[in-house]
Amino acid sequence: MNTPQEKQAVRAWIAQATHIAVLTGAGMSAESGVPTFRDAQTGYWAQFNPQDMASERGFRAAPARVWDWYAHRRAGVAAVQPNAGHQALAQFEQRHPGRLTVVTQNVDGLHQRAGSRSVLCLHGDLLADRWLDAPRACCRLGAAIPGSPPRCPGCGNLVRPGVVWFGENLPVDVLDAAQQAAQSAELLLVVGTAGAVYPAAGLAHLARQAGARVVIINPAPSELDSAAHAVLRGTAAQLLPQLLCPPGVERVNRETERV
Ligand code: APR
């Protein structure tokens, strides 16, 4: 378990950092009730083959099956709330505008729903739709198109979820901004990711090479532990409030805010 000294050291690094980047993964939303991907038994990839459910080939092979799985995930995310970890990040950003950037692999929108404004979504947005093939004049998103998945009545183009699937490129502008954030941060918090998927996981190495301190927050070992200056064994909803809004800091903040 973490020693008080380890947590105090990370709190000091947070206080000293003018720029903090936070790389989050599925574990960030676990305490909201959203399944992760690689946790044994409960992770999505313990139940489904990722290539069947999160690739263009898988979607083309069985569009209804994939569309229904994403519809199930959308309903699941709509039914949950951001947890104390999401809220701690959002409140810190509100108290310190411009000092904290969230770079998330998650597509659930929970950082934004908690109030975070500086959020870079590396893997897209679960709630967004896009066309499978290049849209033609007849392809109009937003219209109530029937079908699972919806199909353009004019040309049969399929609607797919607006997420990045395996084998697809991340949005270039978002990845550039994420790399900038990692390289300019004095501190990178890596929260709730197995560190198994690149280029997202590479941001931890980029930050370290650029001179940032790297802190892992994860109840279990991850592939990025070796890149870290500190590894805090615990969950997002437990540790982030302790690190970002310790009671003393919160009280001081409340007093200054009243002035
Ligand atoms: N708090 C913090 N971390 C947690 C918690 C929690 N409450 N619960 C689980 N974890 C950790 C697990 O120990 C694991 O290391 O979160 C991590 C989740 O790992 P994955 O399920 O692999 O999720 P992630 O790393 O985000 O996957 C990256 O892979 O399948 C693709 O596109 C998908 O964005 C995803 C990417």
Side-chain angles (χ1 to χ4, degrees), residues 25-27 31 36-39 45 105 123 192-194 197 218-219 235-236:
E31 284 152 295
T36 64
F37 293 96
R38 293 174 183 81
D39 278 338
W45 301 150
Q105 299 171 88
H123 294 166
T193 181
V197 171
N218 196 322
T235 72

Side-chain angles (χ1 to χ4, degrees), residues 83-197:
N83 61 53
H86 294 108
Q87 287 159 3
L89 288 168
Q91 289 159 14
F92 185 93
E93 181 190 341
Q94 284 148 19
R95 288 202 308 273
H96 306 280
R99 268 185 71 194
L100 186 142
T101 299
V102 172
V103 180
T104 189
Q105 299 171 88
N106 299 341
V107 295
D108 56 32
L110 290 178
H111 283 298
Q112 297 91 319
R113 283 173 54 192
S116 287
R117 292 285 170 270
S118 178
V119 181
L120 297 169
C121 296
L122 295 173
H123 294 166
D125 175 359
L126 180 63
L127 304 184
D129 285 340
R130 51 178 274 211
W131 291 106
L132 178 62
D133 295 313
R136 301 176 189 175
C138 53
C139 301
R140 290 202 320 280
L141 275 181
I145 314 169
S148 289
R151 184 185 289 271
C152 172
C155 66
N157 198 358
L158 291 176
V159 175
R160 54 162 284 184
V163 298
V164 177
W165 277 334
F166 288 108
E168 296 183 330
N169 293 326
L170 276 59
V172 175
D173 55 336
V174 176
L175 181 57
D176 283 351
Q179 289 168 336
Q180 284 292 324
Q183 286 176 307
S184 59
E186 288 89 3
L187 176 65
L188 175 72
L189 303 178
V190 180
V191 187
T193 181
V197 171

Side-chain angles (χ1 to χ4, degrees), residues 9-84:
V10 174
R11 285 196 194 102
W13 294 348
I14 290 170
Q16 292 155 12
T18 50
H19 287 97
I20 301 168
V22 186
L23 173 64
T24 67
M28 181 76 229
S29 300
E31 284 152 295
S32 294
V34 181
T36 64
F37 293 96
R38 293 174 183 81
D39 278 338
Q41 278 86 43
T42 59
Y44 282 128
W45 301 150
Q47 306 160 51
F48 302 104
N49 175 342
Q51 289 305 323
D52 290 343
M53 307 304 262
S55 74
E56 183 180 326
R57 181 182 55 76
F59 180 68
R60 288 185 186 275
R65 177 179 64 183
V66 175
W67 180 262
D68 289 350
W69 184 57
Y70 279 88
H72 170 73
R73 288 179 61 192
R74 288 175 172 180
V77 164
V80 301
Q81 297 301 323
N83 61 53

